[in-house]
């Protein structure tokens, strides 16, 4: 075991080294660095290739093994209610900080930047009906080929409920999917060894394309945004986690340290989605809660994106010399609550959502989006990190509220006494959460006639 952990430890040291090397190449040879972008894109695509089968296996196993469908519905309803509240809180915090900083004043919009903003708005807006219809895949298997998280979630829930209704006759199918899940996670473990190459290419390309000039001129909104995200994670989410689950936010984030490093190097929270599912199950949260909360959260619980949308909207309005009134800010906040739903946790999605939101709400401000195109990649890092932290905390909270978490297991894992298996990413020997054990014992007694 020690040798296995040592090897993965060196892997993540190599990721850190690759990030530093990428920054150096970006500054010293920007022309060459920009050409390295396909390395980062290729690695993220390899990870995204695994997301649909992992979500499918996790949800089918979680839902199919639960005897009562109402339990799954309760988890989903609670998760969606929590996501709506926290997204609103995140948007409100972004609004307050944006008003205090007034980061856009003093900047000027050139013709080139206006064209860049207009380009981002092209096809960015999407109606609610289009979004809802987009959840339904063309065929039963197209959700896997198109890589749509919500489509995969729908197919997996239908399959899980079908297996649930089949009872004992569905057990062989569940066992088969369990074997497929182990295979998929093993493949993901192999892909992770390409992380240093992907990190090097991604960081080098963005530093080479951006340079220092854009960072200096837009430092106020960047620093303000990073501080606001930190405030939300450590104060708001930290207080919730402590009050509800009795867990220190620092210990949870430390447990997820390798995932944060992966997100930082790829600027995509989706690159860590499969590992978050595996680690939350290892932590002691039940399969149904993890399988429903994590994938749903990746489309509906984008706290970092919510903060970005309000702060960036105020920034653009200030820079365009057309500040938003209090009434306009509140109506924009309500609009952004809807606009932020379904924005994938990938690089550039926040910028497209911002452009689409402004186009629908205040079209005269759309050209101003070009002002932040240059630094959007650096703000994307904070968005992705905050989104990921929000979904990790949400999974623990929903597990606690539904009593689908093994608190003894959580204490063991966070204390480092039950290390995560980096090679398989599947913990076959982890104890079932307390609620699951009670249900299993009841079923066994019933079968025995006790």
């Amino acid at each position: 075991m020690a040798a296995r952990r040592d090897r993965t430890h060196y892997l993540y040291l190599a990721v850190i080294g690759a990030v530093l090397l990428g920054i150096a190449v970006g500054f010293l040879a920007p022309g060459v660095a920009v050409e390295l972008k396909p390395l980062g894109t290729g690695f993220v695509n390899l990870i995204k290739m695994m997301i649909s089968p992992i979500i499918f296996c996790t949800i089918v196993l979680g839902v199919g093994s639960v005897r009562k469908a109402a339990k799954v519905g309760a988890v989903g309803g609670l998760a969606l209610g929590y996501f709506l509240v926290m997204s609103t809180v995140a948007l409100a915090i972004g609004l307050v900080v944006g008003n205090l900083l007034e980061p856009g004043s003093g900047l000027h919009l050139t013709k080139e930047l206006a064209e860049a903003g207009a380009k981002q708005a092209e096809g960015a807006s999407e109606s609610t009906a289009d979004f809802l219809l987009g959840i339904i895949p063309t065929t039963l298997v197209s959700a896997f080929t198109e890589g749509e998280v919500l489509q995969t979630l729908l197919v997996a829930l239908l399959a899980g409920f079908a297996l649930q209704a089949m009872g004992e006759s569905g057990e062989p199918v569940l066992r088969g999917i369990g074997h497929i899940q182990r295979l998929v996670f093993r493949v993901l473990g192999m892909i992770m060894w390409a992380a240093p190459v992907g990190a090097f290419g991604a960081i080098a390309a963005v530093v080479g394309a951006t340079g220092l000039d854009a960072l200096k001129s837009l430092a106020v909104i960047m620093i303000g945004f990073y501080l606001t995200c930190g405030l939300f994670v450590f104060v708001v989410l930290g207080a919730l986690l402590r009050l509800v689950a009795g867990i220190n936010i620092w210990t949870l984030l430390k447990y997820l340290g390798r995932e944060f490093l992966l997100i930082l190097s790829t600027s995509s929270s989706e690159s860590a989605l499969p590992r978050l599912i595996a680690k939350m199950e290892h932590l002691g949260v039940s399969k149904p809660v993890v399988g429903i909360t994590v994938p749903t959260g990746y489309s509906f619980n984008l706290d970092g994106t919510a903060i970005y949308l309000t702060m960036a909207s105020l920034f653009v309005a200030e820079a365009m010399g057309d500040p938003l009134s209090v009434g306009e800010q509140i109506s924009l906040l309500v609009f952004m609550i809807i606009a932020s739903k379904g924005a994938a946790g990938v690089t550039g999605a926040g910028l497209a959502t911002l452009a689409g939101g402004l186009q629908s709400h205040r079209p005269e401000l759309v050209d101003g989006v070009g002002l932040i195109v240059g630094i959007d990649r650096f703000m994307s890092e904070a968005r992705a990190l905050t989104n990921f932290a929000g979904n990790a905390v949400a999974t623990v909270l929903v597990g606690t509220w539904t009593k689908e978490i093994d608190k003894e297991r959580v204490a063991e894992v966070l204390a480092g006494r039950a290390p995560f298996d980096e090679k398989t990413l599947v913990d076959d020997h982890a104890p079932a959460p307390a609620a699951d054990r009670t249900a299993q014992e009841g079923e066994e007694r019933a079968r025995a006639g006790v």
Side-chain angles (χ1 to χ4, degrees):
M1 280 298 285
R4 180 186 303 165
R5 287 199 299 272
D6 283 343
R7 286 200 297 271
T8 59
H9 176 66
Y10 291 135
L11 166 63
Y12 287 93
L13 285 177
V15 171
I16 295 172
V19 168
L20 296 176
L21 182 61
I23 293 172
V25 171
F27 281 128
L28 297 174
V32 175
V34 171
E35 298 299 321
L36 297 173
K37 186 178 180 180
L39 293 177
T41 304
F43 174 70
V44 173
N45 288 345
L46 280 171
I47 298 288
K48 289 170 71 176
M49 173 182 76
M50 309 304 297
I51 290 176
S52 288
I54 286 172
I55 289 176
F56 179 79
C57 293
T58 302
I59 294 177
V60 171
L61 289 172
V63 175
S65 59
V66 175
R67 292 292 168 257
K68 293 183 179 179
K71 177 177 168 185
V72 177
V75 170
L78 187 60
L80 286 173
Y82 169 80
F83 295 158
L84 181 63
V85 171
M86 292 313 295
S87 293
T88 306
V89 170
L91 285 163
I93 290 174
L95 211 58
V96 171
V97 175
N99 277 291
L100 291 174
L101 287 179
E102 297 185 351
S105 55
L107 288 177
H108 302 286
L109 183 69
T110 65
K111 183 181 178 181
E112 291 78 11
L113 291 176
E115 289 173 354
K119 184 179 179 181
Q120 286 296 327
E122 291 177 7
S125 58
E126 181 183 40
S127 69
T128 304
D130 289 338
F131 170 68
L132 292 175
L133 288 173
I135 297 175
I136 304 172
T138 307
T139 68
L140 195 64
V141 295
S142 63
F144 301 97
T145 58
E146 294 175 9
E148 294 289 341
V149 171
L150 288 179
Q151 290 184 2
T152 306
L153 183 64
L154 175 64
V155 172
L157 284 172
L158 291 173
F161 283 127
L163 284 168
Q164 191 182 88
M166 288 170 66
E168 290 185 6
S169 61
E171 289 296 325
V173 180
L174 281 174
R175 284 196 298 273
I177 293 175
H179 291 307
I180 293 172
Q181 184 192 45
R182 281 189 286 275
L183 169 66
V184 170
F185 272 117
R186 183 61 68 97
V187 173
L188 178 66
M190 295 162 61
I191 290 173
M192 290 309 301
W193 286 96
V197 177
F200 170 70
I203 293 293
V206 71
V207 173
T210 308
L212 284 175
D213 293 338
L215 304 186
K216 288 177 182 176
S217 62
L218 300 170
V220 174
I221 187 171
M222 277 185 60
I223 294 170
F225 179 58
Y226 269 77
L227 290 176
T228 306
C229 288
L231 176 76
F232 179 80
V233 171
F234 294 107
V235 177
V236 178
L237 294 182
L240 258 178
L241 192 63
R242 170 64 75 180
L243 289 171
V244 175
I247 297 173
N248 187 305
I249 187 77
W250 287 101
T251 58
L252 181 64
L253 298 187
K254 181 183 176 183
Y255 170 63
L256 298 170
R258 290 184 171 183
E259 287 66 46
F260 281 111
L261 176 60
L262 185 62
I263 293 168
L264 190 65
S265 60
T266 60
S267 190
S268 169
S269 58
E270 282 199 344
S271 64
L273 190 159
R275 289 180 59 87
L276 179 62
I277 289 174
K279 279 206 161 181
M280 287 293 103
E281 288 185 3
H282 175 77
L283 185 66
V285 184
S286 72
K287 280 182 179 290
V289 170
V290 174
I292 293 169
T293 307
V294 173
T296 309
Y298 262 72
S299 287
F300 290 95
N301 189 39
L302 304 175
D303 300 325
T305 303
I307 294 170
Y308 168 83
L309 289 174
T310 45
M311 289 189 70
S313 298
L314 293 175
F315 167 80
V316 169
E318 287 276 350
M320 296 284 284
D322 189 12
L324 301 170
S325 66
V326 175
E328 287 175 328
Q329 289 181 26
I330 293 172
S331 63
L332 184 63
L333 182 148
V334 174
F335 181 86
M336 287 301 188
I337 290 174
I338 301 168
S340 64
K341 302 310 173 193
V346 295
T347 305
L351 193 63
T353 306
L354 170 67
L358 288 176
Q359 187 179 47
S360 301
H361 199 73
R362 288 284 302 273
E364 70 274 15
L365 297 178
V366 170
D367 287 351
V369 173
L371 285 164
I372 54 175
V373 169
I375 61 161
D376 180 71
R377 170 57 194 261
F378 290 97
M379 297 177 78
S380 178
E381 309 277 2
R383 284 202 304 268
L385 292 169
T386 307
N387 291 343
F388 182 81
N391 286 317
V393 171
T395 307
V396 174
L397 293 179
V398 173
T400 303
W401 285 324
T402 56
K403 295 181 172 59
E404 290 290 313
I405 188 170
D406 187 335
K407 293 187 177 180
E408 293 178 4
R409 172 74 176 179
V410 172
E412 286 287 307
V413 171
L414 294 183
R417 291 189 290 272
F420 181 69
D421 189 342
E422 289 282 350
K423 186 174 182 181
T424 64
L425 303 183
V426 176
D427 198 355
D428 293 324
H429 307 295
D436 282 3
R437 290 203 303 270
T438 303
Q440 290 167 4
E441 289 165 4
E443 289 170 8
E444 288 169 5
R445 286 197 296 272
R447 283 197 293 269
V450 177

